[in-house]
Amino acid sequence: FVIDHVGHHGDGVAIAGGGNIYVPYTLGGETIEAGAVPGHHPDRRRLLKVETASVERIAPFCPHFGVCGGCAIQHWDAEPYRAWKRELVVTALAQAGIDCDVAPLVDAHGAGRRRITLHARMGTHDVLKVGYAAAGSHDVIPIDRCPILDPQLNGAIEAAWAICEPLISMGKPLDIQITATSGGLDVDVRGSGPVSSAMIARLSRIAEQHRLARLTRHGELVLKRTPPVISIGAAQVALPPGSFLQATVAGEETLAALVAEHCKRAKYIADLFCGVG
């Protein structure tokens, strides 16, 4: 296949047989070899080999890239990536009949993501897997590090493994949301169902060992060592368990600055956003 362009979801799109073929981790202009994906529609393929690489292809910076489903475009040079990302907004507005200028993309990654959701499943041979979901699959790819995270999330993956080891014996898949706060890691575990008082005590010990700010299960408190607060301007805000939060501090600050700039002459403002930050 020859990849024509990169689609909205980051997959390379080849035009063949009067239709589109979607191949992840490919770029426009590349000649590639692709295979079928068992259990998926025939227009979805997996990359087997890049025969002719694009000049825009770069080496991904994460060893899990291409297996883990967390990132889609680490193989693309920064400038064409930024142009593609902006064009997604231009196209969406045009399709909605909105005629307006679209500024260049603002890089708001900053220090990295301050919140993640990890998944835990029991794999073959009763081996625990804690990590991110594979692309287009419920399979979990175990990870030991993630280079796109804010340094404040150091220890988050190790804490998730420790929490899941006793809970996974209940035979249910788990989701672990972890947020970096001023007081430390705020962790909410979902999927376990009711647990015994002995299990609560064990989880409390794990929270102490990993010095978590707070550990909750389905929003119910297991242990709080310190208040899980974040700074928003001059305010110190206590987070509800598992709450929404802008993924990066830089992203939140960028959005706030844009809103403040456009609203500075307004007499009245209605804030209809539901969430934190």
Side-chain angles (χ1 to χ4, degrees), residues 174 187-195 216-222 241:
L174 304 170
V187 182
D188 185 53
V189 182
R190 295 181 180 270
S192 67
V195 298
T216 54
R217 189 190 59 81
H218 293 273
E220 296 181 356
L221 184 64
V222 174

Side-chain angles (χ1 to χ4, degrees), residues 110-271:
R113 293 185 62 92
R114 59 179 169 178
R115 63 178 178 87
I116 54 171
T117 299
L118 298 170
H119 309 287
R121 306 287 187 270
M122 190 62 79
T124 55
H125 309 295
D126 292 332
V127 175
L128 173 63
K129 300 190 295 182
V130 180
Y132 296 127
S137 170
H138 293 295
D139 191 25
V140 171
I141 306 302
I143 62 170
D144 56 1
R145 64 189 180 94
C146 178
I148 66 169
L149 302 186
D150 190 305
Q152 289 190 84
L153 279 176
N154 287 346
I157 297 173
E158 293 84 352
W161 278 89
I163 290 167
C164 293
E165 282 176 356
L167 284 176
I168 203 69
S169 62
M170 300 177 70
K172 296 183 178 181
L174 304 170
D175 298 320
I176 311 96
Q177 182 172 322
I178 309 175
T179 303
T181 75
S182 300
L185 300 177
D186 185 29
V187 182
D188 185 53
V189 182
R190 295 181 180 270
S192 67
V195 298
S196 65
S197 57
M199 180 64 77
I200 292 292
R202 186 173 179 183
L203 293 174
S204 297
R205 290 194 295 271
I206 292 171
E208 285 282 5
Q209 290 166 2
H210 289 267
R211 303 188 64 78
L212 304 181
R214 178 177 63 184
L215 175 61
T216 54
R217 189 190 59 81
H218 293 273
E220 296 181 356
L221 184 64
V222 174
L223 180 74
K224 183 170 72 173
R225 293 180 58 256
T226 58
V229 300
I230 62 167
S231 299
I232 301 180
Q236 294 293 303
V237 180
L239 296 178
S243 61
F244 172 82
L245 193 66
Q246 291 298 327
T248 69
V249 173
E252 179 181 290
E253 291 174 346
T254 300
L255 289 171
L258 290 168
V259 171
E261 173 63 25
H262 285 281
C263 295
K264 63 184 179 182
R265 295 181 181 85
K267 201 169 183 181
Y268 300 102
I269 298 172
D271 184 358

